[in-house]
Amino acid sequence: RITIKNPFVKSTSSTSLNLAGSQGATQSKSFDATTVYTRIVSSVIKAMGVDESDRADKMAKDIMTRIESETRGKRAGIPFSSHQSAVENIMNECNNFMEYQDEYKRTVIVQRLARRFVTRRRAKRYREGAYRDRNAIFQIIMKSEQTYIQNLNTMIKNYLIPLRSHANSRHFGAAVISSKELEHIFSNVEEIARVHADILKSFQELADKEWPFLRGIGEVFLSKASALAVYGEYLSNFKTAQGTLNRLLKEAKFSQVYDKLSAEGNDPGLISLISIPLNQIGHYSMQLARLVKVTPPHMADHYALESAASIMTDTYNLITQAITDSSDKADLLEIQKRFVDGSLPPSFDVLSKTILMKGPINIIVQHHKKQRRMEYYYYLFSDVLLLCKPHRSQYKVKETVYLKDCDLEVDSLAVAKLCGQNSILMTDITFTNPFIITPAPKTPILILSIQDPQGRDALITPLQNILNVLHPNTKVFGVQLVDLIRRDAGDNPASLEFPGVPLVVARMVLRLLDLLDTDGIFRISCKQQDLTALKDDLELASAAGPLTTSNLDAIMSKYEVHVIANGLKTLMRDFPEPLIPFSLYDSMMSCADMVADFERTHHITEIVKEKLPPGHKETLRFIMRFLNRVAQHAKQNRMTSSNLATVFGPNIIRPYVYTIETTLSIPKANIVVEEMISHHDTMF
């Protein structure tokens, strides 16, 4: 505290106050009270250690505003010495101000220490936790995106733009390349480049805003997913692009221009560049799967990352399958050319089939009451086996075996019994590893042999799979829902434990109801061999006789929870017709586009109640009620209704034919399924 005996006398102490400014002060002169008070306060503040004059004057004026009202009306013409109380008020304000300053300094120190502690803790969490791994993966995605865009721009700059100038131009009297051929080769690559430039911009904005604690990576992918539909056009045109480019490269005039552009560009070449867009979605899929693994379930964007990874994986699988189908179509065209005209059965369309296997095979044929071994060549399609004889450079179809009505026997003892003791099988040592196909009742059996055991197994495995699909009488997986219900209940679905629900679905769900607190009950995958074993056990039990509660429970008790959970998902995914029939797919997708929650829920409810066929409605209601129970245990199993919709959505609602557009619409299916889980009690 500073004591002032006579504020108008210039003191020689360390707390001296210069009230008159640079001109000094006079003992007998009276000053305007406000001016005097302000100078006193300013000098006191300076004496307290505030060196900056402007800052001290400002503080003095701030203090004066708080006490000015007390002295207003008393100061004019009155010597300052008569206002002792006002001076004391000023000194009290100064002391209060300094106490506030001390408290403020202590607060700043505490805040600084707290910020240091938080920063160190966050840095430790970054070094030891998930952020470091997430950031490393994000940097890989960013770098890959930059390289990809650079390759797209190289294709456009080095080839598309120069060749566009050559389109329809004349080079030594002939067109180098037409506009149509240019379109076939490059398709919509410029649009793809624009889409990815926008994606890269979003990545950069996210990094600038959130680094190093990145959040929202999954949201970026989900927000840009619909734009990736541009790949549909490029994909459908890819084989045409390859064929057109390969054909043009055989033409001298185009080849000359191409070689010049390739030499100037110093790049991998157009043949390699046009294949690059097919791999980018696969790279997204792989890196997003890695992000999901290193992101703890409690992090806010874990769900978005799972959704984005699922979409990209499905899209990449679709791209891969489309490329395979396109390649298969080219193979089928070549196969069709190999058959002698007129030897194929009427209405047999090779291009509509799926070729599985082909190769040489031995057949025992009955000829004038004698058996004779003959060498044939076989083509195994998805539903037909063609047995052919060589005819010059082609094949002539000798036997067409429609597999729908066939049986297969591979056991050697059973084969010998069927063929009889006098069969050529007993005498011809070159006819090894035989197996039998019985085409239809009251028709001769086909005795086949492939000497190479590996070749034999390579044929028998897909053949057996085809017969399993074509003979659904005892199958569990890959069978229509209504067939499962009919097999379990006959003509009386109400007789089932849960009316209208297949017994295998009901027993799986009841088993899982006892294990709802299991962490990630539907999110964590099981070993593939365990899932295969469960499927095999169910198929064997069904083949041995009608499934019962007791034998199903015995099978379920052998497996841990995640195996059964994955088995239930697989069973639903393998329904040839999903729980939401194909005919209702577009209607459900339209519901997902509705903005208002009430409107969306109302329309989904109408579809469920009025349009779902019997069996589908009861089973869907049963599954949704179960998933709602699972979501109620989300604190323990970390499976919210959103998580469950992500897992089950693509299995419950799917289009008849997958395209890139429908694959990128999977989030809409998830929205519909989440609505069903949350409102199952009113929808059904």
Side-chain angles (χ1 to χ4, degrees):
R1 182 183 296 271
I2 299 176
T3 303
I4 303 175
K5 294 182 179 179
N6 190 339
F8 290 95
V9 177
K10 193 171 183 179
S11 173
T12 58
S13 67
S14 59
T15 59
S16 62
L17 308 177
N18 180 9
L19 303 182
S22 59
Q23 302 298 325
T26 305
Q27 191 172 14
S28 60
K29 185 178 179 180
S30 297
F31 291 92
D32 173 75
T34 301
T35 302
V36 173
Y37 292 160
T38 302
R39 288 183 178 180
I40 290 174
V41 173
S42 178
S43 298
V44 169
I45 291 174
K46 290 176 183 178
M48 290 178 175
V50 179
D51 296 331
E52 298 87 348
S53 178
D54 292 342
R55 184 182 174 197
D57 291 343
K58 184 178 183 302
M59 291 181 179
K61 289 178 181 179
D62 290 342
I63 293 175
M64 285 300 303
T65 58
R66 294 198 296 269
I67 62 174
E68 187 178 16
S69 60
E70 296 183 11
T71 57
R72 185 175 295 166
K74 301 179 182 179
R75 293 175 295 196
I78 302 175
F80 179 76
S81 58
S82 64
H83 299 291
Q84 183 67 32
S85 62
V87 174
E88 290 178 355
N89 286 340
I90 291 172
M91 299 310 300
N92 289 334
E93 289 290 338
C94 289
N95 284 307
N96 291 337
F97 171 76
M98 293 309 296
E99 289 176 1
Y100 168 78
Q101 287 294 316
D102 290 340
E103 182 178 357
Y104 174 75
K105 288 179 181 179
R106 289 192 295 270
T107 302
V108 169
I109 292 172
V110 171
Q111 289 176 339
R112 184 171 68 247
L113 293 174
R115 284 194 296 269
R116 183 186 302 171
F117 170 76
V118 171
T119 302
R120 286 178 176 175
R121 185 175 65 178
R122 294 180 70 188
K124 181 179 180 182
R125 185 176 59 180
Y126 173 77
R127 289 192 302 269
E128 300 177 358
Y131 284 107
R132 180 184 59 187
D133 297 331
R134 283 163 53 91
N135 290 356
I137 296 171
F138 180 76
Q139 287 176 322
I140 292 174
I141 294 174
M142 284 275 289
K143 186 176 180 180
S144 170
E145 194 72 11
Q146 292 167 348
T147 303
Y148 178 55
I149 293 173
Q150 182 180 352
N151 286 328
L152 292 177
N153 291 333
T154 297
M155 193 192 323
I156 295 169
K157 179 181 177 182
N158 293 0
Y159 294 97
L160 175 57
I161 295 176
L163 286 174
R164 187 175 282 157
S165 65
H166 285 276
N168 296 319
S169 66
R170 298 286 171 177
H171 185 74
F172 298 109
V176 175
I177 185 173
S178 67
S179 298
K180 197 68 175 177
E181 290 169 332
L182 195 71
E183 183 181 343
H184 285 166
I185 294 174
F186 293 97
S187 187
N188 61 336
V189 67
E190 290 175 302
E191 187 177 1
I192 293 175
R194 286 191 292 269
V195 166
H196 282 275
D198 184 52
I199 292 174
L200 180 61
K201 180 182 177 182
S202 298
F203 287 158
Q204 290 170 335
E205 290 174 351
L206 177 66
D208 293 340
K209 180 181 178 181
E210 299 287 346
W211 191 269
F213 301 99
L214 287 175
R215 293 180 293 270
I217 302 174
E219 283 82 354
V220 171
F221 276 99
L222 291 176
S223 66
K224 303 298 180 183
S226 59
L228 297 178
V230 295
Y231 278 92
E233 180 180 342
Y234 192 89
L235 177 62
S236 62
N237 186 70
F238 179 67
K239 280 294 178 182
T240 304
Q242 283 186 317
T244 303
L245 182 57
N246 290 331
R247 176 176 55 79
L248 288 173
L249 287 173
K250 296 177 182 179
E251 300 177 4
K253 296 177 178 61
F254 178 84
S255 181
Q256 182 180 353
V257 174
Y258 174 82
D259 290 341
K260 182 181 178 181
L261 294 176
S262 182
E264 292 174 351
N266 191 26
D267 53 65
L270 186 56
I271 295 177
S272 298
L273 288 172
I274 63 173
S275 301
I276 289 176
L278 304 181
N279 301 319
Q280 186 63 13
I281 303 298
H283 179 76
Y284 286 160
S285 172
M286 180 177 65
Q287 299 303 334
L288 283 169
R290 293 181 61 200
L291 276 172
V292 171
K293 287 184 178 179
V294 301
T295 302
H298 65 269
M299 291 189 70
D301 61 346
H302 186 273
Y303 169 68
L305 284 173
E306 279 191 326
S307 299
S310 175
I311 291 173
M312 294 303 160
T313 299
D314 290 341
T315 303
Y316 181 63
N317 290 339
L318 180 65
I319 291 173
T320 304
Q321 185 60 47
I323 295 172
T324 302
D325 292 345
S326 180
S327 178
D328 289 345
K329 192 71 72 176
D331 291 341
L332 289 171
L333 283 170
E334 291 299 318
I335 290 172
Q336 189 176 43
K337 295 176 183 178
R338 302 203 67 185
F339 292 120
V340 175
D341 290 342
S343 67
L344 285 170
S347 72
F348 187 90
D349 184 10
V350 174
L351 298 181
S352 66
K353 305 295 182 181
T354 301
I355 181 70
L356 301 178
M357 295 288 297
K358 59 183 179 179
I361 193 169
N362 295 322
I363 302 178
I364 294 181
V365 296
Q366 199 79 18
H367 185 68
H368 297 299
K369 299 183 180 180
K370 293 183 179 179
Q371 292 177 342
R372 185 172 63 176
R373 180 170 65 87
M374 300 185 67
E375 294 181 356
Y376 276 61
Y377 196 89
Y378 77 89
Y379 287 94
L380 177 63
F381 295 92
S382 54
D383 58 350
V384 177
L385 177 66
L386 297 182
L387 300 172
C388 314
K389 287 288 289 183
H391 181 78
R392 298 177 183 173
S393 60
Q394 294 179 295
Y395 289 102
K396 189 172 184 178
V397 178
K398 304 296 290 185
E399 192 79 39
T400 303
V401 183
Y402 292 96
L403 300 174
K404 182 177 181 180
D405 300 319
C406 290
D407 290 319
L408 176 67
E409 182 58 68
V410 298
D411 181 73
S412 58
L413 294 177
V415 169
K417 183 177 180 181
L418 285 170
C419 296
Q421 296 299 317
N422 296 322
S423 169
I424 192 174
L425 292 172
M426 312 303 295
T427 59
D428 190 345
I429 61 173
T430 64
F431 203 84
T432 56
N433 303 315
F435 55 98
I436 290 178
I437 295 179
T438 306
K442 299 181 180 180
T443 58
I445 62 175
L446 290 174
I447 308 171
L448 311 174
S449 172
I450 297 178
Q451 294 187 23
D452 179 15
Q454 292 183 347
R456 174 183 182 271
D457 294 340
L459 173 59
I460 287 177
T461 300
L463 192 58
Q464 186 65 67
N465 291 337
I466 292 172
L467 295 177
N468 288 340
V469 172
L470 297 175
H471 297 173
N473 295 334
T474 62
K475 283 184 61 60
V476 175
F477 291 83
V479 180
Q480 293 284 7
L481 175 67
V482 291
D483 290 334
L484 284 178
I485 297 173
R486 189 180 300 112
R487 189 191 307 163
D488 291 338
D491 296 329
N492 184 19
S495 64
L496 291 170
E497 181 179 13
F498 295 93
V501 180
L503 189 58
V504 63
V505 173
R507 300 318 298 180
M508 280 185 169
V509 167
L510 291 176
R511 170 66 173 150
L512 292 171
L513 279 174
D514 297 330
L515 305 162
L516 292 183
D517 291 340
T518 305
D519 183 29
I521 183 170
F522 282 107
R523 178 174 47 82
I524 297 176
S525 300
C526 64
K527 294 180 180 179
Q528 185 59 41
Q529 56 265 36
D530 292 340
L531 179 59
T532 302
L534 172 62
K535 293 173 64 177
D536 290 345
D537 283 349
L538 290 172
E539 298 290 6
L540 289 172
S542 179
L547 293 174
T548 63
T549 300
S550 58
N551 63 13
L552 283 172
D553 289 346
I555 292 173
M556 301 302 165
S557 64
K558 293 168 53 179
Y559 298 96
E560 59 101 11
V561 57
H562 293 111
V563 179
I564 301 173
N566 279 272
L568 180 61
K569 291 189 294 183
T570 303
L571 181 67
M572 298 177 63
R573 184 185 66 228
D574 289 351
F575 284 148
E577 181 96 359
L579 287 179
I580 301 294
F582 295 129
S583 59
L584 299 179
Y585 174 81
D586 290 336
S587 300
M588 285 296 189
M589 293 298 100
S590 299
C591 293
D593 290 329
M594 296 176 181
V595 178
D597 292 343
F598 173 80
E599 183 183 10
R600 181 169 59 248
T601 304
H602 173 71
H603 281 79
I604 295 174
T605 303
E606 278 190 343
I607 294 172
V608 168
K609 287 185 175 181
E610 299 176 8
K611 298 183 179 181
L612 274 183
H616 287 254
K617 182 177 180 180
E618 289 79 8
T619 303
L620 185 62
R621 175 175 55 202
F622 184 76
I623 291 294
M624 292 301 110
R625 185 180 302 167
F626 164 64
L627 294 181
N628 184 272
R629 288 280 301 276
V630 176
Q632 292 175 17
H633 292 251
K635 289 185 178 180
Q636 293 78 28
N637 58 38
R638 294 190 288 189
M639 295 298 300
T640 64
S641 57
S642 296
N643 300 140
L644 292 167
T646 301
V647 172
F648 281 89
N651 300 329
I652 292 175
I653 306 175
R654 63 177 188 266
Y656 184 73
V657 177
Y658 274 108
T659 64
I660 287 184
E661 289 79 5
T662 58
T663 303
L664 294 173
S665 297
I666 288 177
K668 293 183 180 180
N670 299 346
I671 290 173
V672 173
V673 173
E674 185 176 358
E675 287 282 332
M676 291 181 181
I677 295 172
S678 302
H679 303 285
H680 75 95
D681 52 340
T682 58
M683 280 190 179
F684 298 93

